[in-house]
């Protein structure tokens, strides 16, 4: 994955984290920086795993 692919993965992860944060706020749950980081890292790992399975 080129550097542009990594940037794309992070952007996608931030969009997903934003959607989850909004959903959690509407449900009355706490949203902190930890929430953003955990969701972002989780999505990036899933995207990298999907990329790895596609290339091998």
């Amino acid at each position: 994955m080129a550097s542009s692919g990594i940037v794309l993965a992070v952007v996608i992860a931030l969009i997903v984290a934003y959607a989850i944060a909004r959903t959690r706020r509407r449900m009355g749950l706490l949203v902190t920086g930890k929430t953003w980081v955990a969701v972002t890292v989780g999505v990036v790992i899933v995207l990298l795993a999907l990329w790895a399975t596609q290339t091998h």
Side-chain angles (χ1 to χ4, degrees):
M1 188 183 267
S3 62
S4 62
I6 293 172
V7 171
L8 179 62
V10 170
V11 169
I12 291 171
L14 288 174
I15 291 170
V16 171
Y18 176 75
I20 290 175
R22 279 186 56 102
T23 304
R24 285 179 57 96
R25 254 187 246 121
R26 285 181 182 231
M27 291 172 47
L29 299 172
L30 184 64
V31 178
T32 63
K34 272 186 168 178
T35 306
W36 281 85
V37 170
V39 172
T40 303
V41 169
V43 171
V44 167
I45 289 172
V46 168
L47 289 175
L48 288 174
L50 289 172
W51 172 76
T53 58
Q54 291 292 324
T55 58
H56 290 103

